[in-house]
Amino acid sequence: AVREMIPFNSAVADEVRSLVQGADGSTVDSIYRELCQLADCSPDGCILLLQVCLDEVLLNAGVAKYSQSKQDLLSTVFRYCLDKPYFSTCFCEALRTLSVSDVFLETLSNELDLSRAERVGIGLALSDAENIGLNLKGQRFSIAQIEELCKNPAQPISNDQIHDIVVFLHQTDGLSKHMDSFTNIISLFKVKEMPFHVPVLVQDSNVRPASSHMDMYIGSFDDDFDSLLSEIGKEISMADIITELGYGCTADIAHCKDTLSLFEPLDDLGISKLLGAVVTTAAGLGEAHNTYSTFISAFGNSQTNDSFQSTAWDINVLVDSINEIAPRTNWTSVMENLDHEGFSIPDEGAFRLLMSIYSRACRDPFPLHAICGSLWKNLEGQLSFLKHAVAAPADTFTFKHSSRKLVFPDLANHIQGNQAWYCLDLLEVLCQLADLGYATLVRPLLDYPLSHCPDVLLLGVSQINTAYNLLQYEVLSCVFPALLKDTKNSSLMNYLWHLNPSLTLRGFVDAHSDIICLLRTVDICQDLKILSAVLDSTPLAFSIKLATVSFQNDHSNLEKWIIEKFSAHREAFIEECVKFLKESVVNTTHDAAEGVIQQPQATITNICWESCPLFIKVLQSHSGQLLTNQLVDELNRVEAAYESRTQGSLGRDIPTSEGGSDDIEAQANIYFHQMFSEQISIDAMIQMLARFKESTNKR
């Protein structure tokens, strides 16, 4: 609820309005700073500023355009308020006395030149409004902004666009609390996922237009009030009454059947809710058995209270009573209906109790599809079940009979436990939950496989594709480098490549900063004969380094590859090559000066250094085809630095009367390093060299 606001007096409001209306190019900065101080002092100051902004926008919208300075001031002040943790409350309060039309938020956004993320944000901010109509307008406006990104089903909304909005909401104090609302909305849309280009890509053509999702989503808002009335009117359930009566209900079969018969006919959903209530009250009902005694007395039962002094549910009595009253109960359906509001497994004891109930009721293996065949409506309840299922011993719960299991012959001898991490349905549900904002709750479930069977986990998630692949990428970053370094994992890498080339490419790229990983990537690409595919499918910066190391003993092939890439990418390729050459020259200079170059870093440094003349030759021969002189100049500078460094190396052992050659070489290297790191300018370097040339000092 909006807290009671103490408004500023009208004189302050008039002063603020006067400042805004009188802003021009010379005063706008000082006015902005003064107004920001007002927003900082309290939420009331923020409300006042927002009211002035809204008034000015409404006053000028559709009329003669006000000055650019005034427009810029209004926009920057509004954005400053937007970043306040109390923005949502203040924005709703500022709108409280206004008549907000259907186009108001669109007009406001256009006049203030708000970005798409900011537009989504102000729509979500209205979810704090007490006015239902205003709340609904905000929700519809946010959805409309996202729908604009999805108008063409052939070009679905991209991860980058979603990422920009997510980052904006997360970093904006006033809007970060609305992340869950945004996640719920965005889950209605198809999101494009293509982190790297893969040679063969299958597109899903069965995509529902976004507008059909919109109608469904917006229409659901109109039903909120009816749903509320329906909830209020619901009768108390069998589960509620049994829980209220307490453990005494299961004191013996006769009394348990008498109690359950009051709710006949028993259906699968009702039984499922009863079991949910039983497992969450496995302990701690306290004096509830007295309620059952009173209940029995009301029906004229003459037994003493001591007959019903139970301290726990007797599940044998409960299950046998249910089977006698409802012998056709479908226990698979009962487990499927665990997806109901309020269901949760609070602890390991409650989970064991539920499994004991199922084992007593049914001899069939537990229906895994009921808990990991798809996402539940009650996501927290599903997570609570899976948390205990994956950690349970095999005699309590097992995934052995899963219909979708990871199959990799090399791991067959290592299967142990309840086989949870071989179940692809389980992994898919966990990945989907992570994408929906439950990553922090899912991560602890992966602690065991990350430490005991990381290869199984990686191969499993590599077969799962979700909207954002958040969990898949986290597992990849944790597991891939170590597996890549181990030379015994060649067959695993081969299998991973055929399962998910895109994920494997990402692993190669992310791990290549580790020199050992880069060298292993070269070995694997050559062993599996996938070097060409990897070079064609990864970012240029990575492919240049990979090609250099791969063709270290075959410069003719390296030259051919450089020419082909230049023809395909032109300036973009030249830019990355120049960066690579700079890095090679600087690294060699720095390592020589510091004396720290060691294996395996020395191997890569030497390979890159030795490839520099070839890169320079090929690029210079094609420099006439470049559209900008800037790249030509950059290339010339790199070539000059390389030649200077080479000449310096040749003269390394020439003695001087003014000092050792190594000392002079180190100092010269430092100068070149400073030039490349832009600590000194090119002009200053040239002037220094000119002075050195004319110097009588031999050093």
Side-chain angles (χ1 to χ4, degrees):
V2 178
R3 69 175 182 80
E4 190 67 28
M5 299 292 176
I6 304 174
F8 285 87
N9 62 50
S10 58
V12 177
D14 291 340
E15 177 65 16
V16 171
R17 190 168 284 105
S18 175
L19 285 172
V20 171
Q21 292 174 347
D24 57 35
S26 62
T27 61
V28 66
D29 288 339
S30 60
I31 292 174
Y32 170 71
R33 288 192 294 271
E34 188 172 348
L35 295 180
C36 287
Q37 291 177 357
L38 182 62
D40 290 337
C41 74
S42 73
D44 304 301
C46 187
I47 292 171
L48 177 59
L49 280 181
L50 289 172
Q51 287 174 334
V52 171
C53 286
L54 296 173
D55 289 344
E56 290 298 314
V57 169
L58 290 174
L59 186 64
N60 292 280
V63 196
K65 192 68 176 176
Y66 40 79
S67 69
Q68 185 64 42
S69 297
K70 183 175 177 182
Q71 183 186 17
D72 291 344
L73 178 62
L74 290 172
S75 297
T76 52
V77 167
F78 187 90
R79 287 186 172 91
Y80 188 85
C81 293
L82 188 67
D83 198 37
K84 291 297 173 187
Y86 38 75
F87 170 77
S88 293
T89 301
C90 295
F91 188 48
C92 294
E93 182 67 13
L95 289 173
R96 189 166 58 85
T97 58
L98 293 178
S99 176
V100 179
S101 67
D102 290 336
V103 298
F104 171 76
L105 291 176
E106 183 70 34
T107 301
L108 177 67
S109 300
N110 291 339
E111 292 294 322
L112 298 179
D113 196 25
L114 300 183
S115 68
R116 185 74 64 187
E118 289 166 337
R119 292 173 187 236
V120 171
I122 64 170
L124 294 174
L126 293 186
S127 62
D128 281 352
E130 294 180 336
N131 184 314
I132 292 274
L134 194 58
N135 188 302
L136 185 57
K137 284 184 175 68
Q139 292 169 327
R140 285 178 168 160
F141 181 73
S142 293
I143 294 170
Q145 301 312 304
I146 302 170
E147 187 178 18
E148 278 296 312
L149 299 174
C150 306
K151 275 190 172 178
N152 184 357
Q155 296 178 345
I157 184 171
S158 72
N159 277 342
D160 287 342
Q161 293 166 320
I162 295 298
H163 180 266
D164 289 344
I165 298 176
V166 168
V167 169
F168 170 74
L169 294 177
H170 180 70
Q171 293 180 345
T172 305
D173 287 344
L175 299 174
S176 57
K177 66 180 179 179
H178 299 299
M179 275 295 301
D180 287 344
S181 299
F182 176 72
T183 301
N184 290 335
I185 294 173
I186 206 62
S187 66
L188 300 172
F189 298 92
K190 178 166 180 65
V191 179
K192 177 173 61 179
E193 171 56 35
M194 193 171 69
F196 298 101
H197 168 69
V198 180
V200 179
L201 184 64
V202 179
Q203 296 283 2
D204 181 6
S205 58
N206 300 318
V207 181
R208 283 186 68 185
S211 59
S212 62
H213 291 298
M214 291 301 97
D215 295 339
M216 183 192 312
Y217 192 71
I218 294 174
S220 69
F221 296 147
D222 298 330
D223 299 330
D224 284 350
F225 187 67
D226 291 337
S227 298
L228 180 61
L229 291 178
S230 175
E231 286 296 321
I232 294 174
K234 280 184 179 178
E235 296 181 5
I236 190 167
S237 68
M238 170 177 64
D240 294 328
I241 291 179
I242 297 295
T243 304
E244 182 68 24
L245 293 175
Y247 302 134
C249 288
T250 59
D252 59 54
I253 288 183
H255 288 95
C256 188
K257 286 171 60 178
D258 286 344
T259 305
L260 293 177
S261 65
L262 299 173
F263 305 98
E264 288 189 282
L266 301 184
D267 60 17
D268 295 338
L269 176 59
I271 294 172
S272 185
K273 289 184 175 181
L274 173 59
L275 299 187
V278 165
V279 299
T280 54
T281 56
L285 281 182
E287 299 298 321
H289 57 264
N290 289 333
T291 307
Y292 183 71
S293 301
T294 305
F295 178 75
I296 290 297
S297 299
F299 281 85
N301 194 295
S302 59
Q303 286 185 266
T304 64
N305 285 352
D306 292 339
S307 304
F308 310 106
Q309 301 294 311
S310 303
T311 58
W313 300 109
D314 189 324
I315 61 164
N316 294 338
V317 168
L318 178 63
V319 172
D320 293 347
S321 299
I322 292 173
N323 280 334
E324 288 191 28
I325 292 178
R328 295 186 178 181
T329 296
N330 183 336
W331 286 95
T332 295
S333 176
V334 171
M335 294 300 106
E336 291 170 346
N337 280 292
L338 291 177
D339 179 14
H340 59 261
E341 184 180 358
F343 174 80
S344 180
I345 305 287
D347 51 45
E348 182 183 350
F351 182 78
R352 286 199 305 268
L353 181 64
L354 180 59
M355 291 304 100
S356 298
I357 291 173
Y358 181 78
S359 298
R360 177 79 178 185
C362 182
R363 294 183 178 180
D364 296 332
F366 189 91
L368 294 175
H369 71 273
I371 50 98
C372 59
S374 61
L375 286 177
W376 285 10
K377 295 176 182 177
N378 176 9
L379 297 177
E380 291 84 358
Q382 185 175 25
L383 255 174
S384 72
F385 189 107
L386 295 177
K387 170 186 174 182
H388 297 289
V390 300
D395 57 355
T396 300
F397 192 89
T398 181
F399 291 84
K400 184 177 181 179
H401 55 288
S402 169
S403 59
R404 287 181 65 213
K405 292 177 68 176
L406 171 65
V407 178
F408 183 52
D410 288 15
L411 299 176
N413 296 327
H414 303 291
I415 296 177
Q416 55 185 353
N418 67 10
Q419 302 187 29
W421 306 111
Y422 290 82
C423 177
L424 298 181
D425 286 333
L426 167 67
L427 293 173
E428 183 160 12
V429 163
L430 292 179
C431 290
Q432 291 171 341
L433 286 167
D435 275 8
L436 290 175
Y438 292 89
T440 54
L441 297 177
V442 171
R443 287 189 192 104
L445 276 64
L446 304 183
D447 288 344
Y448 180 88
L450 283 173
S451 58
H452 290 81
C453 53
D455 47 358
V456 173
L457 183 61
L458 179 60
L459 289 178
V461 299
S462 69
Q463 299 182 57
I464 309 301
N465 185 40
T466 54
Y468 306 112
N469 291 321
L470 296 179
L471 198 64
Q472 295 91 314
Y473 294 157
E474 285 197 25
V475 171
L476 184 77
S477 64
C478 291
V479 171
F480 190 86
L483 295 179
L484 179 62
K485 291 178 183 179
D486 191 339
T487 56
K488 294 181 294 185
N489 288 327
S490 296
S491 61
L492 184 145
M493 287 297 162
N494 183 24
Y495 190 59
L496 183 63
W497 170 258
H498 287 92
L499 279 178
N500 194 330
S502 177
L503 195 69
T504 311
L505 290 172
R506 188 185 184 101
F508 287 151
V509 173
D510 290 350
H512 89 279
S513 58
D514 185 319
I515 302 303
I516 298 177
C517 285
L518 178 60
L519 294 173
R520 280 290 297 144
T521 299
V522 172
D523 293 340
I524 288 170
C525 289
Q526 291 174 340
D527 291 345
L528 302 183
K529 296 179 172 55
I530 59 173
L531 180 61
S532 178
V534 173
L535 290 173
D536 288 343
S537 307
T538 46
L540 290 173
F542 170 79
S543 62
I544 290 170
K545 188 171 290 187
L546 180 64
T548 301
V549 179
S550 300
F551 298 132
Q552 58 181 296
N553 298 319
D554 187 0
H555 277 195
S556 62
N557 265 335
L558 179 58
E559 180 175 359
K560 179 182 176 183
W561 181 82
I562 296 171
I563 294 171
E564 289 176 353
K565 283 296 176 183
F566 174 79
S567 300
H569 300 285
R570 314 292 291 184
E571 279 80 2
F573 181 67
I574 294 286
E575 287 179 4
E576 292 300 333
C577 285
V578 168
K579 292 178 184 177
F580 167 75
L581 291 170
K582 281 184 178 180
E583 180 183 338
S584 299
V585 173
V586 170
N587 284 349
T588 305
T589 301
H590 179 267
D591 290 342
E594 297 293 330
V596 296
I597 191 164
Q598 298 175 353
Q599 291 286 359
Q601 176 67 48
T603 303
I604 298 296
T605 302
N606 290 337
I607 292 171
C608 294
W609 173 256
E610 291 169 1
S611 70
C612 287
L614 178 61
F615 273 92
I616 292 171
K617 182 190 79 170
V618 175
L619 298 181
Q620 285 288 21
S621 68
H622 292 80
S623 60
Q625 302 176 39
L626 299 178
L627 299 178
T628 62
N629 292 328
Q630 183 179 356
L631 280 177
V632 177
D633 294 340
E634 284 283 315
L635 190 55
N636 290 336
R637 289 167 58 192
V638 171
E639 182 178 14
Y642 174 78
E643 291 175 352
S644 298
R645 170 72 185 128
T646 303
Q647 293 169 3
S649 297
L650 292 174
R652 180 189 301 270
D653 297 325
I654 300 174
T656 70
S657 60
E658 302 293 333
S661 62
D662 289 343
D663 178 41
I664 296 172
E665 173 73 9
Q667 184 60 46
N669 287 336
I670 290 172
Y671 285 136
F672 280 109
H673 183 65
Q674 289 174 337
M675 181 180 72
F676 275 113
S677 60
E678 299 183 353
Q679 296 177 37
I680 59 175
S681 67
I682 299 294
D683 290 341
M685 184 72 171
I686 293 172
Q687 292 172 11
M688 179 169 34
L689 292 174
R691 291 198 306 273
F692 290 168
K693 181 179 179 181
E694 300 300 327
S695 174
T696 58
N697 186 329
K698 291 182 180 181
R699 173 179 174 83

